[in-house]
Amino acid sequence: MNKERLVAFTDAIIAIVVTLLVLELPRPDGPSINALLAEWRSLVIYIATFILIMVVWYNHHIIFTNAKTINRTTYWLNSLWLLLQSFIPFSASWLSAYPQSATPGIFYVAVTFLWAVSFQLLGRNIEKLNPDLIMPNRYAFPLLYISYVLEAVLFLFIPILGIILIPVMAGGIVIGSAIVERRRDHKN
Amino acid sequence: MNKERLVAFTDAIIAIVVTLLVLELPRPDGPSINALLAEWRSLVIYIATFILIMVVWYNHHIIFTNAKTINRTTYWLNSLWLLLQSFIPFSASWLSAYPQSATPGIFYVAVTFLWAVSFQLLGRNIEKLNPDLIMPNRYAFPLLYISYVLEAVLFLFIPILGIILIPVMAGGIVIGSAIVERRRDHKN
Amino acid sequence: MNKERLVAFTDAIIAIVVTLLVLELPRPDGPSINALLAEWRSLVIYIATFILIMVVWYNHHIIFTNAKTINRTTYWLNSLWLLLQSFIPFSASWLSAYPQSATPGIFYVAVTFLWAVSFQLLGRNIEKLNPDLIMPNRYAFPLLYISYVLEAVLFLFIPILGIILIPVMAGGIVIGSAIVERRRDHKN
Amino acid sequence: MNKERLVAFTDAIIAIVVTLLVLELPRPDGPSINALLAEWRSLVIYIATFILIMVVWYNHHIIFTNAKTINRTTYWLNSLWLLLQSFIPFSASWLSAYPQSATPGIFYVAVTFLWAVSFQLLGRNIEKLNPDLIMPNRYAFPLLYISYVLEAVLFLFIPILGIILIPVMAGGIVIGSAIVERRRDHKN
C-alpha cells in the first residue's frame, strides 16, 4: 500500500464529513437572536462533533505518521472507520431534528461508539504490523466507552442532558489526551 | 502527465462522491427506530455502494502506483470513469426513492456496469503503456459482468431481491479479490 | 509562492465544483424511463460542463507543471478563475430550471466566457514569468470566443439549439486540442 | 506534527467551505435578468466572502510555508480557526435570507471577527515557535478590527450599507496587503 495516497484520500473524506456537518445545520427561522438561539441544540451538537472529529484526526495522524508498514487489512479497517464516520452527519442531523426523543440520541451514541471501536481495531492492526509503535491514548478507550454508556443512559431518560454531555465529553477528551501527552513528553 | 497530481485530483473527486452518497440518504421521518428502519433500502444501497467504491479505489491505487507511464488517453479514460462514477449518487438516490420499480434499479445496474467497463478500458490503456505491469483482479471482470446481468434480471422481476443482491455483490467482490490476492502472494 | 500547495488547493476546489454539478441534477420525477428522459436537458448540460472542466483542468495542469516561477498576481488571477468557475454549477442549475428561456442560457455563456478569459489572463501571467514556456492551445482561444458568440445568439433565438451546442462545443474542444497536440508531438 | 499533512487537510476544508458558499446561493426565481438581480445581495456577500477567504488562505500559506516548527497548540488553534470558518457559509446564508435585518448582519461580522482573532492567535503561536519568522500583514489587524466595528454599527442602523461594506472591506484588504508586500519587497 502507498501510505501517502491512503492518508491523503482519508483526509479528503474527513475534511468533507466535518464540513458537511455545517450544511446540516438548520438555518434560523427568522432574523432575530431568538431564532438563532432556538437552534442551540443543533449548534452544540455541531461544535462538539467537529471537535470529536478533530481529536480523532489528530490521533489518526500520529498513528499513520509513525507507522512504517500497512497492509490490505489496514485499508479495510480504515474504510470501515470512514464508513461509520460518514454516518455522523446523518445521525447528528437526525438528533438535531428530534432533540427531545431518546432514539436519535442513542443512535448518535451507537454510531460514535462503533466509530471509536473501529478506530481501536485500526490501531491494533497497525500496532501488530509495527511492533515498536506505541499507540497514543491507549488507556483512554475504556474511559471513552464508559462515557458512551453514560450518555446512552442519559438519552434514554433525560435527552437534554445527553445533548449537553456531548460537548463535555469532547472537551474532556481534548484536555485528557493533552494531559496524557504532556506527562509522556515529561518522562522522555 | 504529472501522475501525482492526476492521482490526487482523482482521489479528491472519489472522496467527494463517496461522501455525497450520505447526503442523499433520506432523514428518518420521525424519532423512532421504525422510522429509521423504514429507510433500510436506502441504508443497504448506501453501504453497499460505499464498499463498491472503496474496492475500486483500492484497485485504482494498485494500478496507478505501479504504472510508470501514463498519457493523454489515460487522462480521458480516467475522466470518463469519474464521470460515470459521479452518476452513482444520482442513481442510488433515484433507486432509494422508488425501490419497488424496475427502471431505477436497472439504471443503477447500467451506471455501475458502464463504470466497471470504463475502469477496464483504463486498465488496458495502462497495461499497454507499461508492459511489465500485471492488472490486479483481471479475471474478475467476466464474473462481475455476469452478476450485473443477474442483478438487472432481478430488478426486472423482483426489485427487492435486486436491492439485496447489491451488498451481496459488494461483499463477494471484497472477499473474492482478497482470496485472489492471497493466492498470488502465496505463489511469489 | 509554494506552487505545490497552490495546485493542490486549486485541484480540491475544481474537484468539488465538478462533483457539485451532479448534486444540482434534478432527480427524475417518477420511476420510469420517461421521467429520466424528461431531464435530458439537465443531463446534457451536466455532462458537457463536466467535460469542459476536465479540458480546462488538463490545460491548467500542463501550464503549472511547466511553470517554474509564479507570483502574487498568479495567485489572484487563479483565484479570479476559481471564483468564475464556482458560478458554473449555479448557472448550469439555473439553465436546467428554465431551458426554454434566453436569459439563463446567455448567463451560462457569459460565465463560461469570463471563465475562459480569466484562464487566458492566468496563462499570460505565467508566460511572462516563464519566457521559455509555450502555452498549449494558444490559438484555440479566438475560435473558442467565436463559438461563445454563436452560442449566445442561439440562446437568444432558439434556446434548445443553444443547449445542444454545449456538448458539441465541449466535444470539439477535446478533439481539437488532441489534434493540435498530436501535430506538435509530430513536429518535435 | 507532520506539517505537510496538516496543511493539506486544512486546505481541503478551506476548499470545501469556499465552494459550499455557492451552494447556499438562492437560485433566481424565474428566467429573467430581474430575477437574477433580485439576488444581488446574496451575490455581493458571496463574492466578497470568497475574496476574504482567499486573502486568508494566502496569509495562512505564507505563515505555514515559512514555519519550521509547529506543535499540538498550533493544531488546536488551527482547528478553532477552521471551526469559526465553517460558520461563514452558515452566517452568509442567514444574512442573505434577511438582508434588511440587523441581527444576521452583526452575527456575520461577529463570526468573521472571531475568525480573524483566531487567525491572529494562530499566527502568534507560530511566531513564538519560530522566532525568526516575520508575520505578514501584522499591522493590518487593528485596522481590520476597526472596520469590523464600523460594519457592525452600519448593520445596526442601515443594514444595506453593511452589506455594501463587505466587498469594500474585502477589496481594501487585497489592495492594502498588496501595497504592504510591495513596500517590503522594495526594502529588501
Side-chain angles (χ1 to χ4, degrees):
Chain A
M1 291 270 348
N2 180 336
K3 193 181 85 173
E4 272 65 39
R5 188 174 166 191
L6 178 58
V7 162
F9 181 55
T10 303
D11 279 3
I13 294 180
I14 302 176
I16 298 160
V17 166
V18 96
T19 327
L20 284 189
L21 278 170
V22 84
L23 257 190
E24 309 278 354
L25 269 182
R27 293 297 169 270
D29 203 24
S32 66
I33 278 283
N34 285 336
L36 179 67
L37 292 183
E39 307 293 353
W40 72 268
R41 290 181 204 81
S42 303
L43 292 170
V44 163
I45 295 167
Y46 171 64
I47 294 173
T49 309
F50 186 99
I51 294 171
L52 261 184
I53 293 180
M54 283 316 208
V55 176
V56 171
W57 184 89
Y58 188 80
N59 288 322
H60 191 275
H61 150 267
I62 290 180
I63 296 173
F64 272 82
T65 300
N66 296 334
K68 268 167 207 145
T69 316
I70 58 172
N71 65 7
R72 196 187 171 85
T73 309
T74 318
Y75 175 69
W76 282 108
L77 288 171
N78 194 60
S79 296
L80 175 66
W81 174 69
L82 288 171
L83 175 64
L84 287 160
Q85 185 170 257
S86 76
F87 275 98
I88 292 179
F90 173 81
S91 64
S93 142
W94 194 27
L95 177 54
S96 296
Y98 303 98
Q100 277 152 7
S101 309
T103 312
I106 292 171
F107 183 70
Y108 177 89
V109 173
V111 164
T112 47
F113 168 72
L114 290 174
W115 177 56
V117 170
S118 68
F119 188 74
Q120 209 181 3
L121 291 175
L122 177 60
R124 289 217 174 140
N125 162 272
I126 290 180
E127 273 185 315
K128 251 193 218 162
L129 293 170
N130 304 274
D132 29 305
L133 185 78
I134 298 154
M135 278 278 287
N137 304 321
R138 215 190 159 155
Y139 307 102
F141 282 101
L143 210 77
L144 188 66
Y145 295 150
I146 291 169
S147 49
Y148 277 129
V149 171
L150 178 65
E151 204 170 86
V153 170
L154 280 178
F155 271 120
L156 205 56
F157 296 105
I158 326 164
I160 206 76
L161 284 186
I163 288 178
I164 290 169
L165 190 61
I166 301 178
V168 174
M169 250 180 80
I173 294 171
V174 174
I175 295 166
S177 58
I179 293 173
V180 168
E181 200 167 289
R182 190 163 296 181
R183 206 172 283 171
R184 200 182 51 199
D185 290 356
H186 208 255
K187 272 193 193 160
N188 298 357
Chain B
M1 289 269 350
N2 180 336
K3 194 180 84 174
E4 272 65 39
R5 188 175 166 191
L6 179 58
V7 162
F9 181 57
T10 302
D11 279 3
I13 294 181
I14 302 176
I16 299 160
V17 167
V18 96
T19 327
L20 285 189
L21 278 170
V22 83
L23 258 190
E24 309 278 354
L25 270 181
R27 293 299 169 270
D29 201 23
S32 66
I33 278 284
N34 285 336
L36 179 67
L37 293 184
E39 307 293 351
W40 72 269
R41 289 181 205 81
S42 303
L43 292 169
V44 163
I45 294 166
Y46 170 64
I47 294 173
T49 308
F50 186 98
I51 295 171
L52 260 183
I53 293 180
M54 284 313 208
V55 176
V56 170
W57 185 89
Y58 188 81
N59 289 322
H60 191 275
H61 151 266
I62 290 180
I63 295 174
F64 272 83
T65 300
N66 295 334
K68 268 168 208 143
T69 316
I70 57 170
N71 65 6
R72 197 186 170 86
T73 309
T74 317
Y75 175 70
W76 282 108
L77 288 171
N78 194 60
S79 297
L80 175 64
W81 174 69
L82 288 171
L83 176 63
L84 287 160
Q85 185 170 259
S86 76
F87 274 99
I88 292 179
F90 174 81
S91 64
S93 142
W94 194 28
L95 177 54
S96 295
Y98 303 98
Q100 277 152 6
S101 309
T103 312
I106 292 172
F107 183 70
Y108 178 89
V109 173
V111 164
T112 47
F113 168 73
L114 291 174
W115 178 56
V117 170
S118 68
F119 187 74
Q120 208 181 3
L121 290 176
L122 177 60
R124 288 218 175 140
N125 161 271
I126 291 181
E127 273 186 314
K128 250 192 219 163
L129 294 170
N130 302 275
D132 29 305
L133 185 80
I134 298 154
M135 279 278 286
N137 305 321
R138 213 190 159 155
Y139 306 103
F141 281 101
L143 210 76
L144 189 67
Y145 295 149
I146 291 169
S147 48
Y148 276 128
V149 171
L150 177 65
E151 205 170 84
V153 170
L154 280 178
F155 271 119
L156 205 58
F157 295 107
I158 327 164
I160 206 75
L161 284 187
I163 288 179
I164 291 169
L165 191 60
I166 301 178
V168 174
M169 249 179 80
I173 294 171
V174 174
I175 295 165
S177 59
I179 293 173
V180 168
E181 199 167 290
R182 188 162 296 180
R183 205 172 283 172
R184 199 182 51 198
D185 290 355
H186 208 255
K187 270 191 193 162
N188 299 359
Chain C
M1 291 265 356
N2 179 336
K3 193 180 85 174
E4 272 66 39
R5 189 174 165 191
L6 179 59
V7 162
F9 181 57
T10 303
D11 279 3
I13 295 181
I14 302 176
I16 299 160
V17 167
V18 94
T19 328
L20 284 189
L21 277 169
V22 83
L23 258 189
E24 310 278 354
L25 270 181
R27 294 299 170 269
D29 202 24
S32 67
I33 278 284
N34 284 336
L36 179 68
L37 293 183
E39 306 292 352
W40 72 268
R41 288 181 206 80
S42 303
L43 292 169
V44 163
I45 294 167
Y46 170 63
I47 294 174
T49 309
F50 186 99
I51 295 172
L52 260 182
I53 293 180
M54 283 314 208
V55 175
V56 170
W57 185 89
Y58 188 82
N59 288 322
H60 191 275
H61 150 267
I62 289 179
I63 296 174
F64 272 81
T65 300
N66 295 335
K68 268 168 207 143
T69 316
I70 57 171
N71 65 6
R72 196 185 170 85
T73 310
T74 317
Y75 175 70
W76 282 108
L77 287 172
N78 195 60
S79 296
L80 175 66
W81 174 69
L82 288 171
L83 176 64
L84 287 160
Q85 185 171 255
S86 76
F87 274 99
I88 293 179
F90 174 82
S91 63
S93 142
W94 194 28
L95 177 54
S96 294
Y98 304 98
Q100 275 151 7
S101 309
T103 312
I106 291 171
F107 184 69
Y108 178 89
V109 172
V111 165
T112 47
F113 168 73
L114 291 174
W115 177 57
V117 170
S118 69
F119 188 74
Q120 209 181 3
L121 290 176
L122 176 61
R124 288 219 175 139
N125 163 271
I126 290 181
E127 271 185 317
K128 250 192 218 162
L129 293 170
N130 303 275
D132 28 307
L133 186 79
I134 297 154
M135 279 278 286
N137 305 321
R138 216 192 156 151
Y139 305 104
F141 282 101
L143 210 76
L144 189 66
Y145 295 149
I146 292 169
S147 49
Y148 277 127
V149 171
L150 178 64
E151 205 169 85
V153 171
L154 280 178
F155 271 119
L156 205 58
F157 296 105
I158 327 164
I160 207 73
L161 284 187
I163 289 179
I164 291 169
L165 190 60
I166 301 178
V168 173
M169 250 180 78
I173 293 170
V174 174
I175 295 166
S177 59
I179 292 172
V180 168
E181 199 167 288
R182 188 162 296 178
R183 208 173 281 171
R184 198 181 52 197
D185 291 355
H186 209 254
K187 270 193 192 159
N188 298 0
Chain D
M1 291 267 353
N2 180 335
K3 194 180 86 174
E4 272 65 39
R5 191 175 163 190
L6 179 59
V7 162
F9 180 56
T10 303
D11 279 2
I13 294 180
I14 302 175
I16 299 161
V17 167
V18 95
T19 328
L20 284 188
L21 278 169
V22 83
L23 258 189
E24 309 279 354
L25 270 182
R27 293 298 169 272
D29 202 26
S32 67
I33 277 286
N34 284 336
L36 179 67
L37 292 183
E39 306 292 353
W40 73 267
R41 290 181 205 78
S42 304
L43 292 169
V44 163
I45 295 167
Y46 170 64
I47 294 173
T49 309
F50 186 99
I51 294 171
L52 261 183
I53 293 180
M54 283 316 209
V55 176
V56 171
W57 185 88
Y58 188 81
N59 288 323
H60 191 275
H61 150 267
I62 290 179
I63 297 174
F64 272 82
T65 300
N66 295 335
K68 267 167 208 145
T69 317
I70 58 172
N71 65 7
R72 196 187 170 85
T73 310
T74 318
Y75 175 69
W76 282 108
L77 288 171
N78 194 62
S79 296
L80 175 66
W81 173 69
L82 287 171
L83 175 64
L84 287 160
Q85 185 170 255
S86 77
F87 275 98
I88 293 179
F90 174 82
S91 63
S93 141
W94 194 27
L95 178 54
S96 295
Y98 303 98
Q100 276 151 7
S101 309
T103 312
I106 291 171
F107 183 69
Y108 177 90
V109 173
V111 164
T112 47
F113 167 73
L114 290 174
W115 177 58
V117 170
S118 68
F119 188 73
Q120 210 181 1
L121 291 176
L122 176 61
R124 289 217 175 143
N125 161 272
I126 290 181
E127 272 185 317
K128 250 192 219 163
L129 293 170
N130 303 274
D132 29 305
L133 186 78
I134 298 154
M135 279 277 288
N137 304 320
R138 216 190 158 154
Y139 306 104
F141 281 101
L143 209 77
L144 189 66
Y145 295 149
I146 293 170
S147 49
Y148 276 128
V149 172
L150 178 65
E151 204 170 86
V153 171
L154 280 178
F155 271 119
L156 206 57
F157 296 105
I158 327 162
I160 206 74
L161 284 187
I163 289 178
I164 290 169
L165 189 61
I166 301 177
V168 173
M169 252 179 78
I173 294 170
V174 174
I175 294 165
S177 58
I179 292 173
V180 168
E181 199 166 288
R182 190 162 295 178
R183 207 172 283 171
R184 199 182 52 198
D185 290 356
H186 208 254
K187 272 193 192 160
N188 298 358

